[in-house]
Short mmCIF file of all heavy atoms in Angstrom, two decimals:
data_model
loop_
_atom_site.label_atom_id
_atom_site.label_comp_id
_atom_site.label_asym_id
_atom_site.label_seq_id
_atom_site.Cartn_x
_atom_site.Cartn_y
_atom_site.Cartn_z
N ASP R 78 82.63 58.06 120.29
CA ASP R 78 81.31 58.56 120.70
C ASP R 78 80.39 58.36 119.40
O ASP R 78 79.27 58.00 119.51
CB ASP R 78 81.42 60.11 120.88
CG ASP R 78 80.10 60.75 121.12
OD1 ASP R 78 79.30 60.29 121.95
OD2 ASP R 78 79.76 61.70 120.34
N LEU R 79 80.95 58.49 118.15
CA LEU R 79 80.17 58.42 117.01
C LEU R 79 79.75 57.01 116.79
O LEU R 79 78.61 56.59 116.51
CB LEU R 79 80.96 58.84 115.70
CG LEU R 79 80.18 58.99 114.56
CD1 LEU R 79 80.37 60.43 113.88
CD2 LEU R 79 80.55 57.96 113.50
N ARG R 80 80.60 56.08 117.08
CA ARG R 80 80.35 54.64 116.91
C ARG R 80 79.24 54.21 118.01
O ARG R 80 78.31 53.51 117.61
CB ARG R 80 81.58 53.82 117.23
CG ARG R 80 82.58 53.65 116.08
CD ARG R 80 83.59 52.54 116.26
NE ARG R 80 84.45 52.84 117.42
CZ ARG R 80 85.48 53.58 117.47
NH1 ARG R 80 85.88 54.10 116.38
NH2 ARG R 80 86.14 53.74 118.58
N ASP R 81 79.34 54.82 119.12
CA ASP R 81 78.24 54.58 120.13
C ASP R 81 76.96 55.07 119.72
O ASP R 81 75.85 54.36 119.93
CB ASP R 81 78.67 55.17 121.56
CG ASP R 81 79.87 54.53 122.14
OD1 ASP R 81 80.22 53.35 121.73
OD2 ASP R 81 80.30 55.18 123.21
N ARG R 82 76.89 56.23 119.17
CA ARG R 82 75.59 56.88 118.72
C ARG R 82 75.09 55.96 117.49
O ARG R 82 73.76 55.76 117.43
CB ARG R 82 75.87 58.29 118.17
CG ARG R 82 76.11 59.09 119.53
CD ARG R 82 76.66 60.48 119.13
NE ARG R 82 75.72 61.25 118.27
CZ ARG R 82 76.08 62.28 117.50
NH1 ARG R 82 77.33 62.67 117.57
NH2 ARG R 82 75.25 62.92 116.77
N VAL R 83 75.94 55.54 116.61
CA VAL R 83 75.42 54.68 115.42
C VAL R 83 74.80 53.42 116.15
O VAL R 83 73.71 52.92 115.61
CB VAL R 83 76.54 54.36 114.52
CG1 VAL R 83 76.24 53.27 113.54
CG2 VAL R 83 76.98 55.59 113.65
N SER R 84 75.53 52.73 117.02
CA SER R 84 75.02 51.54 117.61
C SER R 84 73.58 51.79 118.31
O SER R 84 72.79 50.84 118.12
CB SER R 84 76.03 51.02 118.64
OG SER R 84 77.22 50.60 117.95
N ALA R 85 73.54 52.89 118.98
CA ALA R 85 72.28 53.22 119.63
C ALA R 85 71.14 53.37 118.59
O ALA R 85 70.07 52.68 118.85
CB ALA R 85 72.31 54.43 120.42
N HIS R 86 71.37 53.82 117.55
CA HIS R 86 70.43 54.05 116.43
C HIS R 86 70.15 52.81 115.80
O HIS R 86 69.01 52.46 115.40
CB HIS R 86 70.73 55.19 115.35
CG HIS R 86 70.70 56.54 115.90
ND1 HIS R 86 69.60 57.10 116.37
CD2 HIS R 86 71.63 57.45 115.91
CE1 HIS R 86 69.70 58.33 116.81
NE2 HIS R 86 71.00 58.59 116.50
N GLU R 87 71.12 51.97 115.53
CA GLU R 87 70.86 50.65 115.07
C GLU R 87 69.96 49.81 116.01
O GLU R 87 69.11 49.04 115.43
CB GLU R 87 72.17 49.88 114.74
CG GLU R 87 73.01 50.58 113.63
CD GLU R 87 74.36 49.97 113.39
OE1 GLU R 87 75.00 49.37 114.36
OE2 GLU R 87 74.92 50.10 112.27
N ARG R 88 70.22 49.92 117.30
CA ARG R 88 69.38 49.10 118.27
C ARG R 88 67.98 49.66 118.11
O ARG R 88 66.93 48.84 118.17
CB ARG R 88 69.86 49.27 119.66
CG ARG R 88 71.08 48.43 119.85
CD ARG R 88 71.54 48.43 121.38
NE ARG R 88 71.79 49.69 121.94
CZ ARG R 88 72.99 50.31 121.91
NH1 ARG R 88 74.01 49.60 121.41
NH2 ARG R 88 73.17 51.43 122.44
N ASP R 89 67.77 50.92 118.06
CA ASP R 89 66.42 51.53 117.77
C ASP R 89 65.74 51.01 116.62
O ASP R 89 64.58 50.59 116.62
CB ASP R 89 66.42 53.07 117.72
CG ASP R 89 66.74 53.73 119.06
OD1 ASP R 89 66.72 53.08 120.10
OD2 ASP R 89 67.04 54.97 119.10
N TYR R 90 66.52 50.95 115.46
CA TYR R 90 65.86 50.41 114.23
C TYR R 90 65.59 48.97 114.29
O TYR R 90 64.49 48.50 113.97
CB TYR R 90 67.01 50.62 113.00
CG TYR R 90 66.54 50.09 111.69
CD1 TYR R 90 65.69 50.86 110.94
CD2 TYR R 90 66.72 48.74 111.39
CE1 TYR R 90 65.11 50.37 109.85
CE2 TYR R 90 66.31 48.26 110.14
CZ TYR R 90 65.42 49.03 109.35
OH TYR R 90 64.91 48.49 108.22
#
Side-chain angles (χ1 to χ4, degrees):
D78 178 58
L79 193 125
R80 282 190 302 272
D81 291 344
R82 291 170 54 202
V83 167
S84 293
H86 287 303
E87 288 174 337
R88 284 190 300 274
D89 288 346
Y90 180 83

